[in-house]
Amino acid sequence: MTPLTPLFIPGFSLFQQNIPLAIGIVVVASFLFAGGSTIQHLAVSRSVDKTAENRSMGIGQFLELLRNPRWLLGLATVVLGASIHIVGLMMAPVTVVQPVGILAVPWAVLLAAKIHGIRPTRTTWTAVGMTIAGIVVFTLFSAHKAAPDTELPPARIIVACLIVFAVGGLLGYLGRFGTPALRCLMWASGGAFYYGLSSAIIKTLSELVRLGDFTSRPLFWTMIPFLLTCYLVGGWMVQQGYANGPAEIVVGSMTTTDPIVAVTFGLAVLGEGVRLGPLDALGMAISGAVAVAGVFLLSKYHPDAQRAQPVPDPQLATE
């Protein structure tokens, strides 16, 4: 059935599956997300007390950011990347598109290294290579066995959304406790749960629009408040993550948790895993683990951590 919205031109339809083009689009989106996140982190880090154990921002500090030109530039870059990412989601299954976003991690590390004037170490390059190799293999598996159609069971979709909301809220609550690094990880992971769900919701909405007469479908109007809440709450949590730790850790935790949430939703709720066999699932699990291990190394040896390492005193070394 032809969609009611004019999102197509002669010879090209925004809703027609085109996996190679979708992957290319999301690679560009991942770079924009990394760049915008790095810019926002620079702005947020200057608005909080770095000596405080709890650097989480209050409402007043967040409102100040809305008048910060650098933060707004970062926001505009992230929004542009998110908009391009949405186009990719419309053209391919979420299980194919979402994992590619993990490429934002090496982008963020390399940008931070450039900003801080630090030459990436061999460990950093190894971690970047692991991340890229893992996600390329993962995407090859998921793209090769991508389901041609998406299932839209309303009850299952709503229940899954509520479960993700609960887990994301719990992670946000845990972000109030522990060391700055742990707070950063919890806040960013909570935001990632909401952002991962937002991608799954966008895929659901695009499928409803593709089917036509979407305004008469209760599921469409039910998903809209869920989507807006994901962006608002997820965005708030991500800013708290920037306040408590480096952008690379925020981007790293988001771009691993986000795809896991979105891919799980696509496989278990939207029926995108119907063509996957045991060997395909094993290959995706192994390659995904390699990508996650790369992200872990990047978060451990990110440029901020290298910059923070104490420099040995030559005089002491000779004593």
Side-chain angles (χ1 to χ4, degrees), residues 37-73:
S37 298
T38 302
I39 295 170
Q40 283 193 315
H41 173 254
L42 291 174
V44 172
S45 63
R46 295 182 180 182
S47 67
V48 297
D49 182 4
K50 294 183 180 180
T51 63
E53 183 179 355
N54 184 0
R55 307 175 193 170
S56 300
M57 295 185 296
I59 297 296
Q61 289 172 296
F62 185 76
L63 293 177
E64 283 293 325
L65 289 176
L66 297 178
R67 297 192 290 269
N68 186 313
R70 174 176 288 178
W71 187 86
L72 292 174
L73 173 61

Side-chain angles (χ1 to χ4, degrees), residues 160-275:
C161 288
L162 292 174
I163 292 173
V164 174
F165 265 51
V167 176
L170 175 61
L171 290 170
Y173 175 76
L174 294 176
R176 302 169 56 193
F177 309 100
T179 63
L182 182 60
R183 293 174 188 269
C184 174
L185 181 62
M186 291 297 101
W187 280 117
S189 297
F193 261 79
Y194 287 100
Y195 277 173
L197 178 60
S198 71
S199 295
I201 292 175
I202 288 171
K203 181 61 179 178
T204 301
L205 291 173
S206 69
E207 287 298 310
L208 290 170
V209 173
R210 183 181 65 83
L211 292 174
D213 195 25
F214 59 92
T215 56
S216 65
R217 298 175 184 269
L219 181 60
F220 179 86
W221 298 109
T222 304
M223 290 295 99
I224 296 297
F226 274 118
L227 180 63
L228 295 177
T229 303
C230 283
Y231 281 134
L232 292 174
V233 178
W236 167 262
M237 288 186 172
V238 169
Q239 300 308 313
Q240 300 290 7
Y242 291 145
N244 283 278
E248 303 91 283
I249 290 181
V250 176
V251 172
S253 58
M254 285 183 61
T255 51
T256 49
T257 305
D258 178 328
I260 289 172
V261 173
V263 169
T264 300
F265 196 101
L267 294 175
V269 181
L270 302 181
E272 293 182 355
V274 294
R275 296 174 60 182

Side-chain angles (χ1 to χ4, degrees), residues 77-127:
T77 306
V78 169
V79 170
L80 177 60
S83 301
I84 295 175
H85 188 89
I86 289 173
V87 175
L89 281 170
M90 291 181 177
M91 301 173 64
V94 67
T95 49
V96 174
V97 171
Q98 206 64 18
V100 181
I102 203 173
L103 292 177
V105 181
W107 293 136
V109 170
L110 297 177
L111 286 171
K114 181 68 174 179
I115 291 171
H116 299 314
I118 297 174
R119 186 175 182 179
T121 64
R122 180 178 297 179
T123 302
T124 300
W125 285 117
T126 299

Side-chain angles (χ1 to χ4, degrees), residues 283-314:
M284 291 174 66
I286 294 174
S287 56
V290 171
V292 170
V295 171
F296 175 78
L297 283 177
L298 287 173
S299 67
K300 187 176 181 181
Y301 297 100
H302 58 83
D304 277 5
Q306 295 177 44
R307 185 178 57 170
Q309 290 175 355
V311 178
D313 189 332

Side-chain angles (χ1 to χ4, degrees), residues 137-138 140-142 144-145 263 267 273-289:
V137 175
F138 185 100
L140 287 174
F141 274 108
S142 59
H144 180 65
K145 292 297 181 71
V263 169
L267 294 175
V274 294
R275 296 174 60 182
L276 291 176
L279 292 179
D280 301 311
L282 178 62
M284 291 174 66
I286 294 174
S287 56

Side-chain angles (χ1 to χ4, degrees), residues 3-25:
L4 300 180
T5 50
L7 296 176
F8 59 91
I9 57 177
F12 172 79
S13 173
L14 193 59
F15 294 100
Q16 182 178 355
Q17 191 172 91
N18 189 330
I19 290 177
L21 180 58
I23 291 174
I25 288 172

